Amino acid sequence: MTRVQANVTQLVQSMDSLTQRPSRYLASHPRARVTAAGMAIASLLALVLIPVRDSIGTANIALALVVIVGIVGSSQGIGPGLVMSVWAAMLFSLLHSVPHGHPRVEDEQDILTAGLLIAAGAITGWAHNAFARLRDQLQDANYGLARVHRVAEAVLSEGATEDVMSIATDQIAAELSLLECRWERSPTPGRWRELRHNGLIAGTGAHTEPDRLGELLEEGVEITMGSAGSLILAGRPGHHPSPRQLKVAVILADFASAAAAAQSLDDQAPSLDQE
């Protein structure tokens, strides 16, 4: 193969990769697929309505576009909603506002309509994200209750302290998405920030942002359990716990600490009886 042929082959392969890249991206990103489909439908609708725009009025055309914007925004979130709304506003401005076929708007009413299209995408996308956060919070709360129940069962079964600690550390690691949660009988004093029993990390307040809490967890945090030692928590980069999740972790540690204290009393009971 000559140098020219090799260059042509490489160019063809690059062009093929370039043409396939959008399809691969859409295949791996469902939100992008829905947004692209919404943009295509809006474009087709805007084109189909051109012959009848004078008879049905631009307000009704904008209303039809708002429906598509609302569907995309409410189902996919604020990012796709904004993209869809800007695209719909561009279609409306170019095809259905005076002067037709030019990327500018002269009628004040049409300017307001285009602005409302963009606002519709932002509002429906924001509502989707807000409901999604609420759903995740409710789901996390259910998971937290299940984890408390799991550790409480282990404590009530009067198993060995090591078994209870193992279950507690596993549940705390799952609740906070930790890299590691380990039990140390004799931790090094002052080495780690303390996650206190009010659910606050030392040096933080009740309104500390989750991002900051995540950074502190990455550095290492401990939950002291008196004579039972401490639990050492190592956070995972990119995961930001909420104050509620930290409180759940403290509750789980309290259960484990109670189990260790009860086991210690049981171990001392025979010697007391002998005396």
Side-chain angles (χ1 to χ4, degrees):
M1 180 181 295
T2 66
R3 184 179 183 85
V4 173
Q5 290 174 327
N7 290 338
V8 171
T9 301
Q10 184 177 4
L11 178 61
V12 171
Q13 291 174 347
S14 299
M15 291 296 294
D16 183 62
S17 175
L18 184 62
T19 57
Q20 291 182 3
R21 190 174 299 169
S23 61
R24 289 198 299 267
Y25 179 82
L26 292 176
S28 59
H29 294 78
R31 296 174 68 188
R33 289 202 302 272
V34 174
T35 305
M39 293 170 68
I41 294 172
S43 301
L44 180 61
L45 180 64
L47 290 171
V48 168
L49 293 177
I50 288 177
V52 296
R53 63 189 169 200
D54 293 331
S55 59
I56 66 175
T58 56
N60 289 325
I61 294 174
L63 183 60
L65 292 174
V66 163
V67 171
I68 302 174
V69 170
I71 291 174
V72 173
S74 61
S75 63
Q76 303 303 313
I78 192 167
L82 282 174
V83 170
M84 186 65 230
S85 63
V86 170
W87 180 253
M90 290 172 59
L91 290 172
F92 177 80
S93 301
L94 182 64
L95 301 177
H96 296 285
S97 64
V98 178
H100 300 311
H102 295 277
R104 67 178 188 271
V105 182
E106 294 181 353
D107 191 322
E108 293 182 358
Q109 187 64 39
D110 288 344
I111 294 175
L112 177 60
T113 302
L116 290 175
L117 277 169
I118 296 176
I123 292 172
T124 55
W126 174 85
H128 168 86
N129 289 357
F131 283 120
R133 286 194 298 271
L134 179 60
R135 182 193 62 230
D136 292 343
Q137 289 173 0
L138 292 175
Q139 190 176 48
D140 288 344
N142 289 334
Y143 286 152
L145 289 174
R147 291 183 178 112
V148 170
H149 184 259
R150 177 73 182 88
V151 175
E153 281 186 332
V155 173
L156 292 175
S157 66
E158 298 182 355
T161 300
E162 289 76 8
D163 295 336
V164 176
M165 289 295 181
S166 176
I167 293 172
T169 54
D170 287 345
Q171 297 303 315
I172 291 174
E175 178 69 19
L176 300 179
S177 297
L178 301 175
L179 280 176
E180 181 186 20
C181 180
R182 67 180 185 273
W183 174 38
E184 291 189 0
R185 291 180 181 269
S186 301
T188 304
R191 182 179 179 185
W192 313 101
R193 287 178 182 263
E194 182 183 356
L195 174 54
R196 295 169 178 163
H197 290 270
N198 58 2
L200 299 178
I201 298 175
T204 67
H207 301 290
T208 302
E209 293 294 327
D211 290 358
R212 177 57 180 160
L213 297 177
E215 292 173 359
L216 295 177
L217 270 178
E218 289 180 41
E219 297 172 2
V221 171
E222 72 171 330
I223 304 175
T224 59
M225 300 187 296
S227 60
S230 294
L231 297 180
I232 308 301
L233 284 55
R236 187 185 305 274
H239 288 266
H240 307 137
S242 66
R244 185 202 61 79
Q245 289 177 304
L246 292 176
K247 289 180 181 179
V248 170
V250 170
I251 292 172
L252 297 174
D254 286 343
F255 275 120
S257 177
Q263 186 69 41
S264 177
L265 290 175
D266 290 341
D267 293 341
Q268 294 175 9
S271 60
L272 292 175
D273 294 340
Q274 291 174 2
E275 292 178 1

